[in-house]
Amino acid sequence: MSEQGNPSPPVQADGATSTRPVIQVALHKVPLLSGLDPKVLAEVAAALHIRTVTKGQYVLHKGTMGDCLLFLLSGRLQAIDVTEEGREIGLSIITPGEYFGELSMIDDLPRSASVMASESSLVALLPKAQAQALIYNNPLVAERLLKRMAASIRRAADYRTILGIPNAFQRVFALIHRFAEKGHGDMITIDRMPTQQEIAIMANTSRETVSRALQLLIQKGIVEKDMRRLIIRQPEKLRKAANGDQALAV
């Protein structure tokens, strides 16, 4: 796998057994693998290579051949693409428990996007042969992967619509509206709010513009910051802002 700079060494040498029970417990929490036969999970755990990546380090590079399926065990990553002008565009945020790099496991083509660490992260790599065996020999895994692909296609279409919005503030509002989820009770929140830089990359704008857009939402009482969580106090007004309400568009 291609990485930017000198790749960090594995947390423990391949084949070592003392970390395998810990890894296997973590795999039970990975949605793609939950509910699988313990023997299958043990085989996956035994084949994994564990790497640490630091903030700003690339985990994958677009255009390189895919030799593994990857799982994020801890930390935070961002999938990005680069325009012909060299500008980074964020595609998605990857959080613990998620997997990535699956397309190359299926079509044997180069990576379709780059992935960079937004913070220090722990990544598990499953070699291609074992990844393909996992997918093709376990119908539940294949079904989950297909559903994930369908959801990704729908999100990509939605994201293209957002990028087509000419107003930068409205693009930021639309992304925040997209991130929001219903939490406890009737509260709508973004529990792990992406950083302003992550949003800027996804909205194809500057971090300063994201900061001003967020401050405007806060001043209007539409959202409220609570550490890394963003609480949506007025969901309908946020929806209108995302749809181009001239009272907020700048």
Side-chain angles (χ1 to χ4, degrees):
M1 184 182 69
S2 176
E3 293 184 358
Q4 189 179 59
N6 295 322
S8 301
V11 170
Q12 188 162 351
D14 298 335
T17 58
S18 62
T19 60
R20 296 309 177 191
V22 176
I23 294 172
Q24 192 168 347
V25 169
L27 292 182
H28 281 288
K29 300 178 182 179
V30 175
L32 180 68
L33 305 176
S34 64
L36 293 183
D37 188 293
K39 181 180 178 181
V40 174
L41 289 178
E43 291 172 351
V44 170
L48 288 175
H49 301 258
I50 310 300
R51 291 188 184 276
T52 56
V53 290
T54 57
K55 181 178 179 179
Q57 185 177 4
Y58 278 80
V59 181
L60 298 178
H61 282 287
K62 179 179 179 179
T64 58
M65 294 307 297
D67 58 1
C68 59
L69 176 67
L70 302 95
F71 301 89
L72 180 60
L73 301 182
S74 66
R76 189 180 182 90
L77 308 174
Q78 185 170 28
I80 61 174
D81 200 354
V82 180
T83 66
E84 293 181 357
E85 296 78 22
R87 189 183 185 100
E88 291 181 342
I89 297 179
L91 302 176
S92 63
I93 304 296
I94 301 170
T95 56
E98 292 190 68
Y99 62 92
F100 55 103
E102 70 276 12
L103 291 183
S104 294
M105 301 300 96
I106 296 171
D107 60 15
D108 293 318
L109 294 177
R111 301 293 191 188
S112 61
S114 297
V115 175
M116 182 177 65
S118 301
E119 59 187 55
S120 180
S121 303
L122 191 65
V123 180
L125 293 69
L126 184 63
K128 188 171 186 175
Q130 287 82 0
Q132 289 180 328
L134 174 68
I135 295 168
Y136 298 138
N137 296 335
N138 294 277
L140 182 59
V141 172
E143 179 185 353
R144 288 170 174 170
L145 192 144
L146 286 171
K147 287 182 177 179
R148 152 82 174 260
M149 286 183 175
S152 295
I153 291 171
R154 293 180 186 276
R155 283 196 302 270
D158 182 41
Y159 183 51
R160 284 195 298 271
T161 300
I162 292 174
L163 283 181
I165 297 172
N167 183 279
F169 270 49
Q170 189 184 343
R171 291 199 300 274
V172 174
F173 299 152
L175 281 172
I176 293 173
H177 183 260
R178 174 185 170 189
F179 293 145
E181 296 181 351
K182 190 170 183 179
H184 299 294
D186 293 328
M187 183 176 290
I188 298 176
T189 64
I190 304 174
D191 285 335
R192 286 202 69 189
M193 179 71 175
T195 66
Q196 291 183 5
Q197 184 59 35
E198 288 172 336
I199 296 174
I201 292 174
M202 296 188 75
N204 194 20
T205 189
S206 67
R207 189 194 63 78
E208 291 75 15
T209 297
V210 173
S211 178
R212 293 199 302 271
L214 281 171
Q215 284 302 315
L216 182 58
L217 292 177
I218 292 171
Q219 291 168 7
K220 296 286 186 179
I222 296 174
V223 303
E224 176 185 338
K225 289 190 69 174
D226 179 23
M227 302 296 287
R228 283 296 299 273
R229 184 174 70 157
L230 193 72
I231 302 172
I232 314 302
R233 293 299 185 189
Q234 300 186 58
E236 181 60 20
K237 285 191 176 181
L238 177 60
R239 185 191 66 79
K240 288 181 178 180
N243 289 333
D245 187 341
Q246 293 303 309
L248 283 173
V250 176

